Amino acid sequence: MKVVVIQGPNLNLLGSREPNIYGGMKMEDIHSQMKVVAEQNSIEIEFFQSNLEGELVDRIQECIGDADGIIINPAAYTHSSIAIRDAIAAANLPVIEVHISNLARREEFRQKSMIEPFTAGKISGFGPVGYHLAMVAMIQIFEQIKVAKAARENAPKEN
Ligand code: DQA
């Protein structure tokens, strides 16, 4: 099974960007921790960050037929991007939305998520550990997919 982690604009600055809101951990260190968990669970993992909407759309499209799940923090595009929303809908994969900050406690313009209706769930407000929680949730989703597949394969064939 393969998960792709997609990070939106300004998340490359994690560690130095508004640490009072986003914490002091660098994006690379978050990814290193996710990689350890992925390896422990025999899951392939890839990481992608871009500040450009179209590049994020391209990377989501590349997941079609290649990945089994997406963990995404679209950052500011969460609240505005119909293109990312449409790409997520088209991918038709289990998607977990992550936000480092607690969006419910922030400005009005951050209250709307364009992708939320197409996600398995959203993790928001736990700081960088949210990415780890998303991995745990994705591992559970992958287990459910495997169980459902095995049940289908073992089901008696109809004549
Ligand atoms: C964010 C929240 C967004 O509103 C903001 O634009 C970000 C980061 C978060 O992780 O808390 O860049 O997605």
Side-chain angles (χ1 to χ4, degrees), residues 52-97:
L52 305 180
E53 187 178 20
E55 286 188 0
L56 293 164
V57 169
D58 282 345
R59 190 64 189 90
I60 294 164
Q61 286 188 10
E62 281 166 21
C63 291
I64 301 171
D66 178 57
D68 301 289
I70 297 173
I71 294 174
I72 185 166
N73 183 348
Y77 287 134
T78 306
H79 318 298
S80 64
S81 177
I82 297 170
I84 290 175
R85 174 195 177 101
D86 287 351
I88 290 284
N92 196 26
L93 288 167
V95 173
I96 300 177
E97 179 180 352

Side-chain angles (χ1 to χ4, degrees), residues 25-68:
M25 206 168 162
K26 286 186 161 59
M27 187 182 73
E28 291 73 17
D29 296 334
I30 293 171
H31 291 176
S32 300
Q33 287 190 351
M34 294 175 91
K35 206 165 170 224
V36 170
V37 176
E39 276 166 9
Q40 283 167 348
N41 289 276
S42 307
I43 290 169
E44 213 183 313
I45 191 161
E46 284 179 11
F47 303 96
F48 181 77
Q49 189 278 331
S50 178
N51 295 326
L52 305 180
E53 187 178 20
E55 286 188 0
L56 293 164
V57 169
D58 282 345
R59 190 64 189 90
I60 294 164
Q61 286 188 10
E62 281 166 21
C63 291
I64 301 171
D66 178 57
D68 301 289

Side-chain angles (χ1 to χ4, degrees), residues 9 11 17 22 73 75-76 78-79 98-101 103 106 110:
L11 295 174
R17 172 195 184 200
Y22 299 113
N73 183 348
T78 306
H79 318 298
V98 176
H99 298 285
I100 297 164
S101 61
L103 294 179
R106 300 192 66 193
R110 297 187 205 273

Side-chain angles (χ1 to χ4, degrees), residues 7 30 52 68 75 82 84 90 94 98 104-106 119 122 137 141 147 149 155-157:
Q7 305 273 27
I30 293 171
L52 305 180
D68 301 289
I82 297 170
I84 290 175
V98 176
R105 297 181 65 159
R106 300 192 66 193
T119 62
K122 177 163 92 171
I141 290 171
V147 168
K149 190 169 173 244
K157 303 255 179 312

